[in-house]
Amino acid sequence: MRARKSKEERRLELLDAARDVFVEKGFQAATIDDIAVKASVARGTFYLYFDDKRAVFEALVDRFLLAIGQCVRSIELGPDAPPPVVQLRANVRRVVEQCLAEPTIVKLALFDATGLDPELDEKLHGFYQGLRTLIDESLEQGQALGMVRAGDRRVMVAVGLGGLKEVLVDTVEGRIDADAEGLTEEIMRFLAGGLLAQG
């Protein structure tokens, strides 16, 4: 006899189904019926977990942002800590691995969904603001440690976020052929040439 799925398992299945449907059909064309069929549940089951398709989209973005946030760890100092640049590389590698593990949500959140709906745009704006904050805090700490060159962090954040977004979207769409290690290496090479302090 098969065990009944928990509420959390069912919710995760609905999230994954919605993600796939949004990427396949686009947010506007996707319907709740499409999501229910993909998840192999009744339409009414969807409403036990989400009010509408915007709510499930927001849950997807929240889940992705939380995962990205957990990838970025503060640089530790001290005699037993790895060199800061090694810790930075580990942060970059974790972010890249997370994004490559979720190519559909990267494409959806960073490329496909903008401009479709004012409330969705507001949600995505919040997503980008969260990323901006993470990057800005990392740069501020890097400048304090002497790892990051002096300069206007607002410009650095804009260039870094825009560049990272395009690299990730191009990679998940197949325009850049690189695995997590290769992509991390290229990003670190770019950072070393344009952002990190010499030496």
Side-chain angles (χ1 to χ4, degrees):
M1 184 174 172
R2 287 172 56 180
R4 288 186 63 181
K5 292 181 179 172
S6 70
K7 286 193 75 171
E8 184 58 22
E9 286 173 325
R10 182 68 75 196
R11 183 178 182 276
L12 291 175
E13 285 181 351
L14 282 164
L15 280 171
D16 290 342
R19 175 199 62 201
D20 295 344
V21 168
F22 289 155
V23 170
E24 181 185 333
K25 296 193 169 188
F27 178 79
Q28 296 287 51
T31 67
I32 289 168
D33 285 335
D34 293 329
I35 297 168
V37 167
K38 187 79 170 179
S40 301
V41 300
R43 179 184 173 92
T45 302
F46 175 91
Y47 288 109
L48 294 174
Y49 296 89
F50 302 103
D51 291 336
D52 52 28
K53 68 178 182 178
R54 181 183 291 112
V56 74
F57 175 83
E58 289 179 357
L60 282 168
V61 173
D62 287 342
R63 183 175 74 168
F64 184 62
L65 181 57
L66 178 63
I68 292 296
Q70 290 172 341
C71 291
V72 180
R73 299 177 189 157
S74 296
I75 303 294
E76 294 180 11
L77 302 177
D80 296 330
V85 72
V86 171
Q87 295 179 65
L88 172 64
R89 189 184 196 287
N91 276 340
V92 171
R93 174 67 185 254
R94 283 189 293 270
V95 169
V96 167
E97 285 178 339
Q98 180 64 44
C99 290
L100 295 187
E102 289 272 9
T104 52
I105 192 64
V106 169
K107 185 174 182 293
L108 181 69
L110 302 186
F111 187 72
D112 288 346
T114 54
L116 294 178
D117 177 292
E119 289 185 40
L120 282 180
D121 282 348
E122 188 175 329
K123 185 67 177 180
L124 288 171
H125 177 72
F127 173 80
Y128 285 122
Q129 281 303 113
L131 288 180
R132 278 192 176 90
T133 299
L134 282 172
I135 294 170
D136 184 59
E137 289 171 353
S138 297
L139 290 174
E140 182 179 25
Q141 186 178 31
Q143 286 177 330
L145 294 173
M147 281 180 59
V148 174
R149 65 173 178 79
D152 189 331
R153 284 201 317 275
R154 294 169 301 178
V155 174
M156 294 178 184
V157 169
V159 171
L161 184 57
L164 183 61
K165 172 187 168 184
E166 291 302 315
V167 165
L168 292 172
V169 170
D170 281 0
T171 301
V172 301
E173 291 196 330
R175 289 188 290 274
I176 294 175
D177 182 21
D179 60 10
E181 179 60 27
L183 209 53
T184 300
E185 194 58 41
E186 287 300 323
I187 290 170
M188 289 302 295
R189 190 174 293 128
F190 172 80
L191 292 176
L195 188 65
L196 300 181
Q198 296 303 308

